Amino acid sequence: MKNMTRRSTLAVCALLLLSACSNQETTNAPDSQVAKQETIKLTLAHGWPKGYPIFGESVEDYAKLVEQMSDGRIQVSVDSTNKHKSAFGIFDFVKSGQYDIGQSASYYYGGKDPDALFFSSMPFSMTAQEQQAWFYEGGGLALANEVYAKHNMEVMLGGNTGMQMGGWFRKEINSLDDLKGLKMRIPGFGGKVIAGVGGVPTNIPAGELYQSLERGTIDALEWVGPGLDLRMGFHKVAPYYYTGWHEPGTELMYFFNKDSMAKLPKWAKSILFNAARLTSYNMTTSTFAANAENWNTISSQYPNVQVKQFPPKVIAALKQSNADLLEAERARSPMAQKIVDSRASYLKKARAWTEIGDQSYLESVAN
Ligand code: CA
């Protein structure tokens, strides 16, 4: 009886989720191609160390959710970087079909396709809530799928980090001169913006970040926010914690190999995509909670940590660098222009609401 109740609940959940995504493209094989009781076995690679908090854990949760929703008929085996040894190899793994599914951040793959840079977060751009609205309601996810289709992949959101901090710095930044020659781990478009004002951006896998900062291989780094930064120990070697500008709401992404998906019955593909959508929501919530929890710990237990905002002149120079780069991107290709313009027009509309909604609320109740 207990079992029946559990199954009924899951069935209702599955129905609710299916209706939420009824506009998902369906080009799948008919149900008859997979026997009803056959177990579908799929492989997934994510770009984090095994058990990595939140980012890696959410993928383990995804695999469990898929198994539950399919009543055990879909099994997803998850490999971390401990197994496949390639933190930035997820794009190629899924494109080639070496893995059926991947989870990583799209902006790590600007070298594979420069248009992939636009689908994680952009400097001075949308917050998590604004950007999720763009993805789901403003055409963003369709644009991402248009880009990834060229690489034999489909994509779904993978979870948002919320506002990211500007990073941990060994020395205080008082002027633009302090950024010149500064070696900083900062990926994606933010890295290009830093380069535009004379900084030296680099990307380094999660497992090597602390050592790089401790040994002075880099002068600064950005990672995520308190929720993920605290356990990395950066506060021990770089006391200046700057507030955010470059990643105001970074979305992770699930990548699906098109050939693998085409072999699946509709119900299985629907579960895979809707479980990703639900996992994305759950990760977004758990990251916010971890940020609040760990900021409480940092602010109460590590008085050496100094929260700083970049001086207005530095922000103005970064904004100009960003604007110049976006113009160059628009000129690069019609696709880039389409994405940049879509982001800009959605930001304008969404921000007007944020300003009279959240922002006015926060300002009016601040004192
Ligand atoms: Ca980051």
Side-chain angles (χ1 to χ4, degrees):
M1 190 60 195
K2 233 181 187 174
N3 228 353
M4 283 297 289
T5 309
R6 184 174 156 270
R7 282 190 184 188
S8 310
T9 310
L10 284 173
V12 171
C13 288
L15 278 174
L16 285 171
L17 286 164
L18 288 174
S19 65
C21 233
S22 55
N23 59 351
Q24 184 67 54
E25 271 185 52
T26 48
T27 51
N28 313 74
D31 280 16
S32 56
Q33 288 190 12
V34 175
K36 285 287 177 210
Q37 297 308 317
E38 189 180 327
T39 303
I40 297 167
K41 293 192 172 173
L42 299 170
T43 56
L44 186 158
H46 67 69
W48 325 103
K50 188 170 173 56
Y52 191 78
I54 305 179
F55 290 180
E57 284 171 350
S58 76
V59 185
E60 299 289 343
D61 291 344
Y62 171 72
K64 282 181 207 147
L65 187 60
V66 166
E67 189 173 342
Q68 282 174 6
M69 287 168 73
S70 66
D71 202 17
R73 291 168 68 191
I74 310 175
Q75 309 269 335
V76 179
S77 69
V78 176
D79 283 350
S80 67
T81 54
N82 299 59
K83 178 81 181 284
H84 60 68
K85 311 287 183 199
S86 184
F88 305 126
I90 310 303
F91 184 103
D92 283 340
F93 285 154
V94 181
K95 179 176 183 170
S96 67
Q98 190 176 342
Y99 283 88
D100 302 303
I101 310 170
Q103 184 260 31
S104 183
S106 185
Y107 67 179
Y108 291 156
Y109 302 104
K112 302 290 177 185
D113 186 328
D115 294 335
L117 277 177
F118 301 121
F119 300 111
S120 300
S121 184
M122 294 288 285
F124 305 110
S125 186
M126 293 176 267
T127 63
Q129 203 171 18
E130 291 166 344
Q131 186 176 260
Q132 284 177 329
W134 173 68
F135 272 122
Y136 288 135
E137 306 291 338
L141 188 56
L143 286 170
N145 271 304
E146 199 176 327
V147 168
Y148 277 89
K150 288 184 273 181
H151 304 284
N152 201 34
M153 288 185 265
E154 290 176 72
V155 293
M156 175 49 82
L157 303 194
N160 201 293
T161 66
M163 180 60 64
Q164 294 210 1
M165 291 294 280
W168 298 90
F169 289 70
R170 288 156 64 97
K171 290 181 185 159
E172 204 174 340
I173 303 299
N174 294 310
S175 72
L176 205 51
D177 281 347
D178 293 330
L179 285 181
K180 296 200 190 304
L182 184 102
K183 284 178 285 177
M184 179 171 187
R185 182 272 179 192
I186 173 168
F189 211 74
K192 289 174 185 275
V193 174
I194 284 285
V197 297
V200 184
T202 178
N203 197 4
I204 297 170
E208 300 163 29
L209 285 174
Y210 179 83
Q211 271 191 349
S212 302
L213 189 61
E214 186 192 28
R215 291 177 183 175
T217 312
I218 50 176
D219 305 307
L221 60 78
E222 69 77 51
W223 181 227
V224 184
L228 282 159
D229 290 2
L230 175 59
R231 73 197 85 215
M232 303 289 275
F234 304 138
H235 56 279
K236 295 177 198 161
V237 287
Y240 300 102
Y241 201 19
Y242 276 84
T243 58
W245 63 275
H246 67 304
E247 295 190 51
T250 305
E251 194 68 46
L252 301 185
M253 197 164 262
Y254 280 94
F255 310 97
F256 299 88
N257 177 276
K258 269 184 176 284
D259 299 327
S260 302
M261 294 302 107
K263 290 177 198 154
L264 297 177
K266 285 180 187 172
W267 63 264
K269 188 179 166 189
S270 180
I271 285 174
L272 290 172
F273 279 74
N274 284 298
R277 185 167 176 160
L278 181 55
T279 303
S280 161
Y281 174 79
N282 292 341
M283 197 206 89
T284 304
T285 312
S286 59
T287 310
F288 188 97
N291 279 332
E293 187 67 31
N294 285 3
W295 174 241
N296 181 53
T297 302
I298 292 172
S299 59
S300 61
Q301 294 181 23
Y302 300 98
N304 65 312
V305 173
Q306 296 184 49
V307 173
K308 297 276 179 187
Q309 286 185 332
F310 290 108
K313 279 188 178 169
V314 169
I315 289 290
L318 291 169
K319 273 187 176 173
Q320 187 57 52
S321 171
N322 185 59
D324 294 346
L325 283 161
L326 283 178
E327 269 318 300
E329 284 296 303
R330 289 181 80 255
R332 177 172 57 76
S333 77
M335 188 68 204
Q337 183 177 355
K338 190 158 80 165
I339 304 167
V340 170
D341 288 351
S342 173
R343 290 191 63 101
S345 67
Y346 203 84
L347 169 62
K348 193 176 174 199
K349 187 162 49 178
R351 186 59 51 84
W353 161 236
T354 300
E355 282 173 1
I356 66 152
D358 283 356
Q359 192 173 334
S360 293
Y361 166 74
L362 292 171
E363 284 169 5
S364 70
V365 302
N367 296 308

